[in-house]
Amino acid sequence: MEEILKQFPNLTEKQKQQFEMLGPLYSEWNAKINVISRKDIEELYTRHVLHSLGIAKVMPFKPGAKVMDVGTGGGFPGIPLAILFPETEFYLIDVIAKKIKVVQEVANALGLTNVKAEQKRAETVKGEFDFIVSRAVTNMPEFVKWVRGKVKKDQNHDLPNGILYLKGGDLTEELQVFQRVTLYNLSDYFTDEFFETKKVVHLAMKYKV
């Protein structure tokens, strides 16, 4: 929690309270429905919350923006980002119903009115988004197939609309088919050794008519 306050010093009191509530909420729900490994629940703020907020270091979302989190699991990166950007709309989806139940319960407990969560496959989603975020649910070529045609044409951010993907390791081979891709090393923003190989991958996606 201290690292979050250090990295994001302009949080409101409400946001600080919401971030502080994440630990007890996830511990409580994880005991009922296992969405985070026991090892990781002890490192929740580093491995899940701060990791999710790595996207915010690369792309601060503007009020009115629409963001879809694909394969959100227990709500990452969507829930921490929704706390940080209360005027941005977040749509969190996962194919596993029990995970979406946890997301809904956590969002309700936090009073997040900018979060909608549904059990759904990305391919079946209707609508368009400024950005599509995710945390290593599959390889990038497969992920692009899932979300093709779901990116807005109108650009309102510093980075072109598209995908913001949290992933680690050597991504050279996986990304070689893409031209409009940029890698951001999270070790440039966060000092914990967990982030040594972690990256945010930005892939600009052209609007499909």
Side-chain angles (χ1 to χ4, degrees), residues 1 24 27 46 57 59 68 78 82-83 87 99 103 117 119 132 135 141-142 152-153 163 174 181 185 208:
M1 191 63 208
S27 292
T46 300
K57 289 292 188 180
M59 183 72 268
M68 177 165 68
I83 295 173
E87 294 179 47
K99 292 184 177 180
V103 172
Q119 181 192 5
I132 296 165
R135 207 164 58 141
E142 186 68 18
K152 279 186 181 181
K153 182 179 182 179
I163 294 168
E174 184 175 326
V181 67
N185 294 314
K208 297 282 184 183

Side-chain angles (χ1 to χ4, degrees), residues 1-17:
M1 191 63 208
E2 293 85 4
E3 187 65 17
I4 290 168
L5 295 173
K6 187 176 93 174
Q7 292 289 342
F8 301 94
N10 298 320
L11 296 176
T12 64
E13 287 305 314
K14 182 179 180 181
Q15 287 171 315
K16 289 176 188 175
Q17 185 180 19

